Amino acid sequence: MPIGIIVHGGAGRFLDWEYPLAETACRDAVTRAQAVLTAGGSALDAVEAAVLVLEAAPILNAGHGATINADGEIELDALIQDGDTQAFGAVAGVRRIEHPVTLARWIMERTPHHFIAGVGAERFAQAQGMPLIDPASLLTERQIRGKHADTVGAVAVDAQGRMACAVSTGGVRGKMPGRVGDSPIAGAGGYADSRIGGASATGLGEGIMRALLCFRAVDLMTTFNVQSAADVAIRLFSERFQGDGGIIMLDKLGNIGISHNTEHMPVAWLAGEEIKSQVTQSNK
Ligand code: ASP
């Protein structure tokens, strides 16, 4: 089976100096995931590896560079989903975790639960040997001053036809402390079903949650091809849920779908053995 990986660095508007950095981070994430997949790694390994790169990139709103809430603090959310079993791991409102995507995976694989929030999630992380960090170390000048929301996400299919998705975010800037958006909610911020395809969304989470956008988009793939499913989902999101945002999608064969109604959404993906990327929509 062909392998496939697609990642995004958030829907919104990037400044001229920002988008080359965001695009490079996306390409680096695909490079990493491609190495994992060609070495026989699973789709779960690939999406985690990709999101680790994106979380480390200060230009993007996840991990380092995450945006701040109304109190000026970072609160991070993340999701990972196994498309074979639909099992997922999710974490919300953590402050002292450098890589929430890995914690989400540990929640999926090492606890009887799927979703753990706040202090309980941090305690579990520490008990499992993940160091708790000073949240200030994740703050960047840009996020203190800026007004961006550039959640990251990835969808992959491995050589055995297994699919997975992962999402990580600081949420929306100025959010009320404790607010949780779509990103860690399976079916909303991300969704993977190895029988059909996978998706990862970005944009105003309140609308994405109401739309259950990623579940809806993957479900649309039973009728439409992957690009049309992405376009229909975003059109519906704009018209019925008044949302600004975007979605990346992948089908079982590694074909991609990209759609957004914002000016920019940095995306990179694998086309055969070549890595492609864009910031404004040109794949159609
Ligand atoms: N969807 C994220 C949230 O609402 C934000 C984003 O995608 O930029 O938390």
Side-chain angles (χ1 to χ4, degrees):
M1 301 271 295
I3 58 169
I5 172 80
I6 182 166
V7 311
H8 75 79
R13 189 172 175 280
F14 286 78
L15 303 176
D16 286 352
W17 66 270
E18 293 174 329
Y19 67 73
L21 296 176
E23 191 170 2
T24 300
C26 290
R27 295 184 72 93
D28 291 348
V30 169
T31 304
R32 185 75 63 85
Q34 181 185 19
V36 168
L37 290 168
T38 48
S42 69
L44 274 173
D45 295 335
V47 291
E48 182 186 5
V51 170
L52 285 172
V53 172
L54 299 168
E55 286 179 337
I59 195 71
L60 302 173
N61 172 20
H64 287 274
T67 201
I68 50 176
N69 66 18
D71 287 348
E73 289 176 343
I74 275 177
E75 288 176 321
L76 305 172
D77 307 329
L79 166 73
I80 192 163
Q81 185 168 32
D82 177 345
D84 268 14
T85 59
Q86 250 92 67
F88 66 89
V91 63
V94 288
R95 303 193 54 235
R96 296 186 293 162
I97 302 293
E98 187 175 9
H99 287 297
V101 70
T102 297
L103 182 52
R105 186 165 183 185
W106 287 6
I107 288 169
M108 176 174 77
E109 292 178 345
R110 303 183 188 180
T111 81
H113 307 301
H114 282 346
F115 199 157
I116 303 183
V119 174
E122 291 183 356
R123 269 184 18 210
F124 165 70
Q126 195 171 34
Q128 293 287 312
M130 187 181 280
L132 297 184
I133 55 152
D134 175 0
S137 68
L138 300 176
L139 275 173
T140 62
E141 259 315 287
R142 172 177 179 267
Q143 292 297 2
I144 295 165
R145 297 224 187 103
K147 42 182 173 325
H148 296 270
D150 329 308
T151 294
V152 307
V155 188
V157 59
D158 64 30
Q160 294 175 46
R162 297 173 297 193
M163 302 200 75
C165 70
V167 186
S168 186
T169 190
V172 288
R173 187 183 160 78
K175 65 187 182 180
M176 288 174 66
R179 176 266 189 191
V180 178
D182 61 297
S183 303
I185 297 176
Y191 191 68
D193 180 339
S194 301
R195 295 166 305 174
I196 311 171
S200 167
T202 165
L204 192 60
E206 280 66 16
I208 298 174
M209 283 191 270
R210 289 202 300 281
L212 274 180
L213 192 61
C214 285
F215 176 78
R216 197 183 282 270
V218 170
D219 198 47
L220 283 165
M221 286 175 67
T222 57
T223 315
F224 298 100
N225 71 35
V226 61
Q227 181 58 52
S228 302
D231 288 335
V232 172
I234 290 300
R235 199 164 58 236
L236 203 129
F237 180 51
S238 307
E239 288 168 4
R240 227 169 101 193
F241 299 92
Q242 289 82 41
D244 282 345
I247 198 163
I248 54 168
M249 298 185 67
L250 196 67
D251 72 12
K252 285 180 67 64
L253 299 173
N255 299 308
I256 59 145
I258 303 170
S259 196
H260 52 105
N261 60 12
T262 53
E263 198 171 338
H264 300 135
M265 184 171 77
V267 181
W269 67 94
L270 205 54
E273 283 178 13
E274 197 189 338
I275 296 173
K276 295 198 169 173
S277 59
Q278 64 181 38
V279 175
T280 50
Q281 189 134 21
S282 63
N283 69 309
K284 287 192 215 170

